């Protein structure tokens, strides 16, 4: 177990010792600060609710956090192959599965860190400019903090699925660019593709990955606005894709000739 934690720590150092990571974090924090600041100065001052600002901050912040996590995921394995450093890992007394799992765990921790920072910083800055409001949110009238914690948990699930796909593509094709491109297409264009296909009225559309990524729909409705299915169906579909992505990634990595 200690050896595995060392591997995870090693992967974390690869991520956080790079200037790029801290530039990403600075961009995230700066944008989350600019939104409430500009709204306060030009958009009506304290007459705006902090939760209204948080909607915009969260949408932009989570999208950026996901994009940044995808960039890290795309390079996690593909970068090791392109630079040849994967061979240095393979001569160590660790199994391939442990090496790959440590990379994946470090990747998820990176995504969780950015999501947590986005949430904390967005709440803090919106509250700083507009004060705390205890208005009920969602159709169930939830406490606002409970609502937003659940919102971010749902978004983290979406982030995890997206970066797992990027991790798979990075491992299978050893191409960081392809991993970033396809993953961002899923993130930004998947809903459009699903909407177009849905016009054909095929039942199998409900099982597409794109159609089941909007988990935050369930904060305001018992069924998805896209598929019309309950959350249990959506989580089952996402769980199936998630297991398939990981299984393919592990199988390819363990069978591939490193040389």
């Amino acid at each position: 177990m200690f050896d595995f934690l060392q591997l995870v720590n090693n992967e974390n150092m690869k991520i956080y010792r790079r200037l790029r990571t801290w530039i990403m974090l600075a961009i995230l924090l700066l944008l989350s600060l600019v939104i409430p600041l500009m709204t306060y100065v030009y958009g009506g001052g304290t007459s705006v609710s902090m939760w209204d600002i948080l909607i915009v901050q969260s949408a932009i912040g989570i999208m950026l956090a996901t994009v940044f996590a995808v960039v890290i995921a795309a390079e996690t394995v593909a970068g090791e192959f392109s630079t040849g450093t994967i061979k240095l890992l393979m001569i160590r007394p660790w199994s391939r599965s442990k090496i790959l799992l440590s990379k994946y765990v470090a990747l998820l921790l990176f995504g969780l860190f950015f999501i947590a920072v986005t949430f904390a910083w967005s709440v803090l800055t919106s509250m700083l400019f507009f004060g705390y409001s205890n208005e009920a949110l969602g159709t169930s009238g939830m406490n606002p903090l409970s609502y937003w914690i659940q919102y971010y948990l749902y978004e983290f699930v979406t982030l995890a699925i997206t970066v797992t796909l990027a991790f798979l593509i990075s491992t299978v094709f050893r191409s960081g660019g392809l991993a970033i491109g396809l993953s961002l297409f899923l993130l930004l264009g998947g809903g459009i593709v699903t909407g177009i296909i849905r016009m054909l009225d095929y039942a199998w559309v409900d099982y597409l990955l794109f159609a089941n990524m909007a988990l935050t729909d369930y904060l305001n409705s018992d069924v998805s606005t896209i598929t019309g299915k309950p959350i249990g169906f959506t989580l089952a579909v996402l769980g199936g894709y998630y297991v398939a992505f990981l299984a393919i990634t592990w199988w390819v990595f363990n069978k591939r000739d490193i040389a």
Side-chain angles (χ1 to χ4, degrees):
M1 182 63 181
F2 181 70
D3 288 344
F4 177 72
L5 293 178
Q6 283 185 312
L7 276 173
V8 174
N9 184 54
N10 181 55
E11 293 301 324
N12 281 328
M13 287 192 295
K14 291 179 184 178
I15 294 173
Y16 295 106
R17 283 184 175 179
R18 294 185 177 182
L19 179 61
R20 175 189 63 186
T21 300
W22 300 106
I23 291 176
M24 290 176 178
L25 183 60
I27 292 172
L28 191 63
L29 296 178
L30 181 61
L31 281 178
S32 291
L33 176 62
V34 165
I35 292 168
L37 175 61
M38 297 299 289
T39 305
Y40 183 82
V41 174
Y42 299 107
T46 56
S47 62
V48 180
S49 168
M50 66 169 287
W51 305 116
D52 294 331
I53 301 303
L54 192 59
I55 292 173
V56 181
Q57 286 178 292
S58 298
I60 295 175
I62 290 171
M63 183 185 69
L64 282 177
T66 304
V67 170
F68 294 153
V70 164
V71 171
I72 300 298
E75 192 181 72
T76 297
V77 178
E80 298 273 16
F81 277 101
S82 62
T83 59
T85 53
I86 190 68
K87 297 177 183 178
L88 298 177
L89 286 174
M90 291 304 170
I91 63 176
R92 303 292 181 87
W94 301 313
S95 68
R96 290 193 181 193
S97 292
K98 274 190 176 181
I99 291 172
L100 192 65
L101 182 59
S102 67
K103 290 180 175 295
Y104 184 67
V105 170
L107 174 61
L108 288 184
L109 289 176
F110 174 86
L112 181 61
F113 172 61
F114 267 53
I115 284 286
V117 168
T118 300
F119 175 64
W121 184 248
S122 296
V123 170
L124 177 63
T125 52
S126 61
M127 187 166 56
L128 177 65
F129 285 100
F130 301 100
Y132 181 77
S133 172
N134 201 34
E135 62 189 85
L137 300 175
T139 55
S140 59
M142 282 190 287
N143 172 277
L145 280 179
S146 298
Y147 175 93
W148 282 104
I149 289 173
Q150 191 171 339
Y151 179 95
Y152 272 82
L153 286 175
Y154 281 154
E155 289 291 1
F156 177 70
V157 172
T158 302
L159 179 149
I161 296 292
T162 306
V163 298
T164 302
L165 176 60
F167 190 67
L168 179 153
I169 298 170
S170 173
T171 303
V172 173
F173 297 102
R174 291 185 287 186
S175 171
L178 182 62
I180 293 173
L182 289 181
S183 299
L184 292 185
F185 169 75
L186 168 65
L187 178 66
L188 303 175
I192 298 174
V193 173
T194 301
I196 294 173
I197 297 176
R198 180 161 292 284
M199 294 172 60
L200 302 176
D201 197 27
Y202 290 131
W204 52 262
V205 176
D206 293 340
Y207 296 89
L208 290 176
L209 179 61
F210 309 124
N212 292 279
M213 296 288 276
L215 287 173
T216 53
D217 281 357
Y218 294 105
L219 288 170
N220 298 301
S221 175
D222 292 332
V223 297
S224 169
T225 57
I226 299 175
T227 64
K229 302 291 186 181
I231 191 169
F233 174 88
T234 298
L235 291 177
V237 172
L238 291 179
Y241 278 105
Y242 182 75
V243 171
F245 290 163
L246 288 181
I248 295 170
T249 303
W250 253 256
W251 184 83
V252 170
F253 188 76
N254 280 292
K255 294 296 183 181
R256 171 159 284 157
D257 181 7
I258 300 300

